[in-house]
Amino acid sequence: MLPTLRQLQYLKLLAEHKSFNGAAEAAFVSQPALSSGIAELEKTLGTRLVDRSRGQVILTAVGEETLKRSEDILARTEDLVEAARGANRPLTGRFRLGVIPTIAPFLLPKTLLKLRRDFPDLRLFLREDQTSRLIASLKSGALDAAVIALPYDLSGLDSAFILKDEILAATPSNHRLAINDRISPEDLKGEELILLEDGHCLRDHALAACSWTSPTGTSENLSTYTANHGGGFAATSLNTLVQMVGSGLGVSLVPAMAVESGLVKAADVSVRPLASDHAFRDIVVVWRAGSSRAPEARLLAESLKS
């Protein structure tokens, strides 16, 4: 006997909700039905997957491994269904797209109307989150594709290029560097540098643009830089970061797409190009390697590019 997809789905929901009642509600079945499904799965595999002591639901080590494989099986099954439905009609039906916060508000408003016009039967579900969590959701099958910025580790993923986004220097309008046509990274080293909080890949990309550090670990690392050159402030979003710069709290590095979308218009901020060969990030669409929705992800990238 082999496990059923329904049983694997029960296990996934149980791991998410940590409760038989919560998992049963999410599966639209009764709690006894879900418990029975998990018990049948354990019987089929010949091992215990869930510890049920003291009212807690904890997966065993075998349960965790089974969950990992189940997520892959369920993701591939969903790919199969969506690919079959859209075999002759790409980008129809449900498509779950993740986007990082330093891209979503600047790229999507320009493209969503075009997507709706070009693909009227597309049901696009958007999730905004940091890169690491989007990648985890991609690999678990919770997303079909994601829009992120490179460089980033793409192990197990494929990608399609959208655009190159320049990294610019932002200073208060009355700052001494604001008179320059271009600003050298060395000129910024003596300033209070305001960055996004840890977890935002733009933080690393900004420093890499100045060759102070990089995602590959070369040059001066972030902890050494902030210890030697200030960096005592951190912002939760680009909008907050720009307001902090405009208030005279320091200088920063911002993406060109945000500036072109009017992010700095209402702030007392001056923006200048960086005198650096590394002052850019590549915006790409990524998806699971081998996904049957790869052609649609590539088509989505072409639409976003245009």
Side-chain angles (χ1 to χ4, degrees), residues 150-264:
L150 302 183
Y152 198 86
D153 179 16
L154 295 184
S155 301
L157 302 172
D158 289 331
S159 65
F161 178 80
I162 299 176
L163 61 91
K164 194 174 291 291
D165 188 28
E166 187 177 3
I167 304 294
L168 306 171
T171 70
S173 294
N174 58 358
H175 194 278
R176 61 180 181 82
L177 295 176
I179 63 172
N180 298 342
D181 292 332
R182 297 168 67 85
I183 295 179
S184 164
E186 292 302 311
D187 290 336
L188 294 177
K189 273 201 168 184
E191 304 294 329
E192 184 75 35
L193 183 67
I194 305 172
L195 299 170
L196 291 176
E197 291 180 328
D198 282 332
H200 291 276
C201 60
L202 181 60
R203 180 184 178 94
D204 290 334
H205 296 157
L207 293 174
C210 295
S211 300
W212 295 331
T213 187
S214 75
T216 59
T218 58
S219 191
E220 186 177 27
N221 64 40
L222 179 58
S223 60
T224 302
Y225 174 79
T226 53
N228 293 339
H229 306 292
F233 293 112
T236 57
S237 68
L238 277 174
N239 186 62
T240 301
L241 185 150
V242 167
Q243 295 303 317
M244 293 169 74
V245 172
S247 298
L249 294 177
V251 301
S252 190
L253 300 157
V254 297
M257 66 163 54
V259 175
E260 292 165 2
S261 295
L263 181 68
V264 304

Side-chain angles (χ1 to χ4, degrees), residues 42 47-52 58-66:
E42 291 178 323
T47 186
R48 181 176 290 277
L49 303 176
V50 181
D51 284 332
R52 303 168 174 82
I58 302 174
L59 296 188
T60 64
V62 178
E64 291 286 358
E65 179 61 25
T66 303

Side-chain angles (χ1 to χ4, degrees), residues 10-277:
Y10 286 166
L11 181 66
K12 181 179 178 181
L13 290 171
L14 189 59
E16 291 175 358
H17 292 272
K18 308 295 183 185
S19 154
F20 279 90
N21 285 331
E25 289 180 6
F28 300 103
V29 299
S30 67
Q31 188 269 330
L34 186 129
S35 296
S36 176
I38 295 294
E40 286 295 323
L41 178 60
E42 291 178 323
K43 182 179 178 181
T44 299
L45 298 179
T47 186
R48 181 176 290 277
L49 303 176
V50 181
D51 284 332
R52 303 168 174 82
S53 59
R54 299 178 184 176
Q56 293 182 324
V57 174
I58 302 174
L59 296 188
T60 64
V62 178
E64 291 286 358
E65 179 61 25
T66 303
L67 172 64
K68 181 179 178 182
R69 293 172 182 264
S70 297
E71 288 176 334
D72 183 58
I73 292 169
L74 291 169
R76 291 178 182 275
T77 304
E78 289 182 4
D79 278 349
L80 183 153
V81 172
E82 293 295 336
R85 288 175 176 171
N88 299 315
R89 299 175 62 206
L91 286 179
T92 58
R94 182 188 68 176
F95 195 93
R96 301 162 300 177
L97 180 67
V99 192
I100 60 175
T102 57
I103 293 177
F106 315 117
L107 178 65
L108 292 185
K110 301 177 181 178
T111 56
L112 288 181
L113 288 177
K114 181 179 185 300
L115 284 172
R116 181 177 295 177
R117 183 181 68 246
D118 294 346
F119 306 100
D121 295 324
L122 172 65
R123 293 187 296 121
L124 189 63
F125 292 84
L126 296 174
R127 174 182 168 187
E128 185 176 314
D129 209 337
Q130 293 180 6
T131 306
S132 60
R133 291 196 282 267
L134 292 182
I135 297 301
S137 294
L138 264 181
K139 293 183 176 180
S140 72
L143 291 175
D144 298 308
V147 181
I148 66 169
L150 302 183
Y152 198 86
D153 179 16
L154 295 184
S155 301
L157 302 172
D158 289 331
S159 65
F161 178 80
I162 299 176
L163 61 91
K164 194 174 291 291
D165 188 28
E166 187 177 3
I167 304 294
L168 306 171
T171 70
S173 294
N174 58 358
H175 194 278
R176 61 180 181 82
L177 295 176
I179 63 172
N180 298 342
D181 292 332
R182 297 168 67 85
I183 295 179
S184 164
E186 292 302 311
D187 290 336
L188 294 177
K189 273 201 168 184
E191 304 294 329
E192 184 75 35
L193 183 67
I194 305 172
L195 299 170
L196 291 176
E197 291 180 328
D198 282 332
H200 291 276
C201 60
L202 181 60
R203 180 184 178 94
D204 290 334
H205 296 157
L207 293 174
C210 295
S211 300
W212 295 331
T213 187
S214 75
T216 59
T218 58
S219 191
E220 186 177 27
N221 64 40
L222 179 58
S223 60
T224 302
Y225 174 79
T226 53
N228 293 339
H229 306 292
F233 293 112
T236 57
S237 68
L238 277 174
N239 186 62
T240 301
L241 185 150
V242 167
Q243 295 303 317
M244 293 169 74
V245 172
S247 298
L249 294 177
V251 301
S252 190
L253 300 157
V254 297
M257 66 163 54
V259 175
E260 292 165 2
S261 295
L263 181 68
V264 304
K265 283 184 177 179
D268 196 15
V269 171
S270 172
V271 177
R272 296 290 183 272
L274 272 174
S276 167
D277 294 333

